[in-house]
Amino acid sequence: MTLTTLWRFLLAVALTGAITMALLPKPPSVPIDSDKLQHMLAFGTLTLLAVLAYPRTPLHRIGERMSFLGAMIEVLQSIPSLHRDCDIMDWIADTAIIVAVLLIAAIVRRGRAAT
């Protein structure tokens, strides 16, 4: 198993877990009380794993796909039977951490390309 394959497997597991938790009507409680912090931790992790899993993919493509995922989760949370809340501020928190992780990844990629 290559390292890229491992990162892709971990990304698939993390995506499955994050989407499942986001769409459960009553998700289990987690030790982090802040909803926005939970979003940022989830999407920061997903974005980092995506960067590692797809090292040749342009960062803006990873960003747009991660942000779209966050938006789609919010849209799906508006389904009444889920008893969840659709909150644009959650999507903004997701996108903010995605951008932050991608900026760090861009700096690291530039540093590696320069050496």
Short mmCIF file of all heavy atoms in Angstrom, two decimals, residues 48-72:
data_model
loop_
_atom_site.label_atom_id
_atom_site.label_comp_id
_atom_site.label_asym_id
_atom_site.label_seq_id
_atom_site.Cartn_x
_atom_site.Cartn_y
_atom_site.Cartn_z
N LEU A 48 -7.08 18.79 4.99
CA LEU A 48 -5.71 18.32 5.10
C LEU A 48 -5.57 16.93 4.50
O LEU A 48 -4.64 16.65 3.73
CB LEU A 48 -5.25 18.31 6.56
CG LEU A 48 -3.84 17.76 6.82
CD1 LEU A 48 -2.81 18.59 6.06
CD2 LEU A 48 -3.55 17.74 8.30
N LEU A 49 -6.50 16.04 4.81
CA LEU A 49 -6.46 14.69 4.23
C LEU A 49 -6.60 14.73 2.71
O LEU A 49 -5.93 13.97 2.00
CB LEU A 49 -7.54 13.81 4.85
CG LEU A 49 -7.31 13.38 6.30
CD1 LEU A 49 -8.54 12.68 6.85
CD2 LEU A 49 -6.08 12.50 6.42
N ALA A 50 -7.45 15.61 2.18
CA ALA A 50 -7.61 15.72 0.73
C ALA A 50 -6.33 16.21 0.07
O ALA A 50 -5.93 15.72 -0.99
CB ALA A 50 -8.77 16.66 0.40
N VAL A 51 -5.65 17.17 0.69
CA VAL A 51 -4.38 17.67 0.16
C VAL A 51 -3.34 16.56 0.13
O VAL A 51 -2.60 16.40 -0.85
CB VAL A 51 -3.89 18.89 0.98
CG1 VAL A 51 -2.44 19.24 0.64
CG2 VAL A 51 -4.80 20.08 0.76
N LEU A 52 -3.29 15.78 1.18
CA LEU A 52 -2.33 14.68 1.25
C LEU A 52 -2.70 13.53 0.31
O LEU A 52 -1.84 12.89 -0.28
CB LEU A 52 -2.22 14.15 2.69
CG LEU A 52 -1.64 15.14 3.70
CD1 LEU A 52 -1.82 14.61 5.12
CD2 LEU A 52 -0.17 15.43 3.40
N ALA A 53 -3.98 13.27 0.16
CA ALA A 53 -4.46 12.17 -0.67
C ALA A 53 -4.34 12.47 -2.17
O ALA A 53 -4.18 11.56 -2.98
CB ALA A 53 -5.91 11.84 -0.33
N TYR A 54 -4.41 13.73 -2.51
CA TYR A 54 -4.37 14.14 -3.92
C TYR A 54 -3.32 15.23 -4.12
O TYR A 54 -3.65 16.39 -4.37
CB TYR A 54 -5.76 14.60 -4.38
CG TYR A 54 -6.76 13.47 -4.31
CD1 TYR A 54 -7.57 13.29 -3.19
CD2 TYR A 54 -6.85 12.55 -5.35
CE1 TYR A 54 -8.45 12.22 -3.12
CE2 TYR A 54 -7.74 11.48 -5.28
CZ TYR A 54 -8.53 11.33 -4.17
OH TYR A 54 -9.41 10.26 -4.09
N PRO A 55 -2.04 14.87 -4.00
CA PRO A 55 -0.97 15.87 -4.02
C PRO A 55 -0.80 16.60 -5.35
O PRO A 55 -0.22 17.68 -5.37
CB PRO A 55 0.28 15.05 -3.68
CG PRO A 55 -0.05 13.65 -4.04
CD PRO A 55 -1.54 13.51 -3.81
N ARG A 56 -1.30 16.05 -6.43
CA ARG A 56 -1.16 16.71 -7.74
C ARG A 56 -2.39 17.56 -8.10
O ARG A 56 -2.38 18.24 -9.12
CB ARG A 56 -0.89 15.68 -8.82
CG ARG A 56 0.48 15.04 -8.68
CD ARG A 56 0.80 14.16 -9.88
NE ARG A 56 2.16 13.69 -9.78
CZ ARG A 56 2.51 12.50 -9.32
NH1 ARG A 56 1.58 11.67 -8.89
NH2 ARG A 56 3.77 12.13 -9.27
N THR A 57 -3.41 17.48 -7.30
CA THR A 57 -4.64 18.24 -7.57
C THR A 57 -4.43 19.69 -7.19
O THR A 57 -3.93 19.99 -6.11
CB THR A 57 -5.82 17.64 -6.78
OG1 THR A 57 -5.99 16.28 -7.15
CG2 THR A 57 -7.11 18.40 -7.04
N PRO A 58 -4.82 20.62 -8.08
CA PRO A 58 -4.70 22.04 -7.73
C PRO A 58 -5.49 22.35 -6.44
O PRO A 58 -6.60 21.84 -6.25
CB PRO A 58 -5.32 22.77 -8.93
CG PRO A 58 -5.21 21.79 -10.06
CD PRO A 58 -5.34 20.42 -9.43
N LEU A 59 -4.90 23.15 -5.61
CA LEU A 59 -5.52 23.44 -4.30
C LEU A 59 -6.88 24.11 -4.43
O LEU A 59 -7.78 23.85 -3.63
CB LEU A 59 -4.57 24.28 -3.45
CG LEU A 59 -3.27 23.58 -3.06
CD1 LEU A 59 -2.37 24.54 -2.28
CD2 LEU A 59 -3.53 22.32 -2.27
N HIS A 60 -7.04 24.95 -5.46
CA HIS A 60 -8.35 25.60 -5.60
C HIS A 60 -9.45 24.57 -5.91
O HIS A 60 -10.60 24.77 -5.54
CB HIS A 60 -8.31 26.73 -6.64
CG HIS A 60 -8.19 26.27 -8.06
ND1 HIS A 60 -6.98 25.95 -8.65
CD2 HIS A 60 -9.14 26.07 -9.01
CE1 HIS A 60 -7.19 25.58 -9.90
NE2 HIS A 60 -8.49 25.64 -10.14
N ARG A 61 -9.10 23.47 -6.58
CA ARG A 61 -10.09 22.42 -6.85
C ARG A 61 -10.48 21.72 -5.55
O ARG A 61 -11.66 21.42 -5.31
CB ARG A 61 -9.54 21.39 -7.83
CG ARG A 61 -9.31 21.92 -9.20
CD ARG A 61 -10.64 22.02 -9.93
NE ARG A 61 -10.37 22.52 -11.28
CZ ARG A 61 -11.02 23.50 -11.85
NH1 ARG A 61 -12.00 24.11 -11.22
NH2 ARG A 61 -10.72 23.90 -13.06
N ILE A 62 -9.50 21.43 -4.73
CA ILE A 62 -9.80 20.82 -3.43
C ILE A 62 -10.68 21.76 -2.62
O ILE A 62 -11.67 21.34 -2.02
CB ILE A 62 -8.50 20.48 -2.68
CG1 ILE A 62 -7.76 19.34 -3.41
CG2 ILE A 62 -8.79 20.10 -1.22
CD1 ILE A 62 -6.38 19.05 -2.87
N GLY A 63 -10.35 23.04 -2.63
CA GLY A 63 -11.12 24.03 -1.88
C GLY A 63 -12.56 24.12 -2.34
O GLY A 63 -13.48 24.14 -1.51
N GLU A 64 -12.76 24.17 -3.64
CA GLU A 64 -14.14 24.31 -4.14
C GLU A 64 -14.96 23.06 -3.80
O GLU A 64 -16.13 23.16 -3.45
CB GLU A 64 -14.18 24.60 -5.63
CG GLU A 64 -13.84 23.44 -6.52
CD GLU A 64 -13.80 23.79 -8.01
OE1 GLU A 64 -13.86 24.97 -8.37
OE2 GLU A 64 -13.70 22.84 -8.81
N ARG A 65 -14.34 21.91 -3.87
CA ARG A 65 -15.07 20.68 -3.58
C ARG A 65 -15.38 20.53 -2.09
O ARG A 65 -16.47 20.10 -1.70
CB ARG A 65 -14.31 19.48 -4.13
CG ARG A 65 -14.41 19.45 -5.65
CD ARG A 65 -13.55 18.42 -6.30
NE ARG A 65 -13.84 18.37 -7.73
CZ ARG A 65 -13.09 18.93 -8.67
NH1 ARG A 65 -12.00 19.58 -8.33
NH2 ARG A 65 -13.41 18.84 -9.94
N MET A 66 -14.44 20.91 -1.25
CA MET A 66 -14.67 20.86 0.20
C MET A 66 -15.76 21.87 0.60
O MET A 66 -16.64 21.55 1.40
CB MET A 66 -13.38 21.14 0.98
CG MET A 66 -12.37 20.03 0.96
SD MET A 66 -12.92 18.62 1.94
CE MET A 66 -12.98 17.38 0.69
N SER A 67 -15.69 23.07 0.04
CA SER A 67 -16.69 24.08 0.36
C SER A 67 -18.07 23.66 -0.15
O SER A 67 -19.08 23.85 0.54
CB SER A 67 -16.29 25.43 -0.26
OG SER A 67 -17.21 26.42 0.11
N PHE A 68 -18.10 23.05 -1.33
CA PHE A 68 -19.38 22.54 -1.85
C PHE A 68 -19.95 21.46 -0.94
O PHE A 68 -21.16 21.44 -0.69
CB PHE A 68 -19.18 22.00 -3.27
CG PHE A 68 -20.44 21.50 -3.91
CD1 PHE A 68 -21.39 22.40 -4.40
CD2 PHE A 68 -20.69 20.15 -4.04
CE1 PHE A 68 -22.56 21.95 -4.98
CE2 PHE A 68 -21.86 19.68 -4.62
CZ PHE A 68 -22.80 20.59 -5.10
N LEU A 69 -19.09 20.59 -0.44
CA LEU A 69 -19.54 19.56 0.50
C LEU A 69 -20.17 20.21 1.73
O LEU A 69 -21.24 19.79 2.18
CB LEU A 69 -18.38 18.65 0.91
CG LEU A 69 -18.70 17.63 2.01
CD1 LEU A 69 -19.75 16.63 1.55
CD2 LEU A 69 -17.43 16.92 2.45
N GLY A 70 -19.51 21.22 2.26
CA GLY A 70 -20.07 21.93 3.43
C GLY A 70 -21.43 22.53 3.12
O GLY A 70 -22.36 22.45 3.94
N ALA A 71 -21.56 23.12 1.94
CA ALA A 71 -22.84 23.72 1.55
C ALA A 71 -23.93 22.65 1.40
O ALA A 71 -25.06 22.83 1.85
CB ALA A 71 -22.68 24.50 0.24
N MET A 72 -23.56 21.53 0.78
CA MET A 72 -24.54 20.45 0.59
C MET A 72 -24.98 19.85 1.92
O MET A 72 -26.16 19.52 2.09
CB MET A 72 -23.98 19.36 -0.32
CG MET A 72 -23.88 19.75 -1.77
SD MET A 72 -25.49 20.16 -2.51
CE MET A 72 -25.60 21.92 -2.27
#
